[in-house]
Amino acid sequence: MKKRIFKYKIFKVLVVLTSSIMLSLLGIGLFDLINREDFSLQSYGDKLTIIVVAILFLLKLISLIFILFKLSKSILLLNIYYISSLSILVVSTAINELYSAINLFLIFCLSILIFLVNKFKYKKVHYENIELIGTQND
């Protein structure tokens, strides 16, 4: 029996594609944060931003590797990544009061991704008492 993560192969391709795009965007953002001219590790905001982006980058990298190798914890890592990204986006939108169409669209897309990942994950069916089928048990 082949190891499976999702019910449909096309959904796995979609998740790998979106994960690759998100990973590259996080990598570019982290690189840009570190290499900007006014960057200093003296301010608390810069330290916190780099730590959060680095954690999200590593979490996304590990979840992408888990998906490609079809490991069982990949759904859990995807859920952790999507929920943490969604909560960071919602909190930053609420604090800065930037209710733009892009922020609301990203919140909607992350919510849909969380729903779809959990809906289409592969669940192995465990049959109980299958050997008792066709026998009389009184």
Side-chain angles (χ1 to χ4, degrees):
M1 184 85 184
K2 291 168 49 175
K3 292 194 307 186
R4 295 179 68 178
I5 299 172
F6 299 108
K7 288 181 185 177
Y8 306 111
K9 190 170 187 165
I10 189 73
F11 190 71
K12 179 187 174 193
V13 171
L14 177 72
V15 168
V16 168
L17 185 66
T18 57
S19 295
S20 300
I21 291 170
M22 287 181 182
L23 185 68
S24 63
L25 289 176
L26 281 170
I28 291 169
L30 186 62
F31 181 77
D32 188 45
L33 275 173
I34 293 173
N35 288 332
R36 31 176 223 201
E37 291 180 14
D38 61 343
F39 173 73
S40 68
L41 282 177
Q42 304 302 326
S43 68
Y44 179 71
D46 284 344
K47 289 179 188 176
L48 184 64
T49 304
I50 287 182
I51 289 172
V52 167
V53 172
I55 288 172
L56 286 176
F57 179 78
L58 289 175
L59 191 61
K60 192 60 180 174
L61 180 67
I62 292 170
S63 69
L64 184 61
I65 290 170
F66 276 25
I67 290 170
L68 293 176
F69 287 120
K70 299 179 183 176
L71 297 176
S72 61
K73 298 295 180 187
S74 61
I75 300 292
L76 176 67
L77 283 174
L78 278 174
N79 282 330
I80 291 171
Y81 172 76
Y82 288 143
I83 290 172
S84 61
S85 296
L86 182 66
S87 60
I88 288 170
L89 186 62
V90 167
V91 168
S92 66
T93 302
I95 287 174
N96 296 330
E97 297 179 0
L98 296 173
Y99 299 107
S100 65
I102 295 173
N103 285 351
L104 296 177
F105 178 72
L106 287 175
I107 290 171
F108 176 74
C109 287
L110 283 173
S111 302
I112 293 296
L113 277 172
I114 291 170
F115 173 74
L116 290 177
V117 163
N118 289 313
K119 179 163 178 57
F120 292 121
K121 68 181 174 183
Y122 181 73
K123 296 175 191 165
K124 190 173 183 179
V125 178
H126 296 285
Y127 297 105
E128 294 182 18
N129 301 329
I130 195 165
E131 58 272 351
L132 299 178
I133 295 176
T135 61
Q136 280 190 330
N137 290 335
D138 291 328

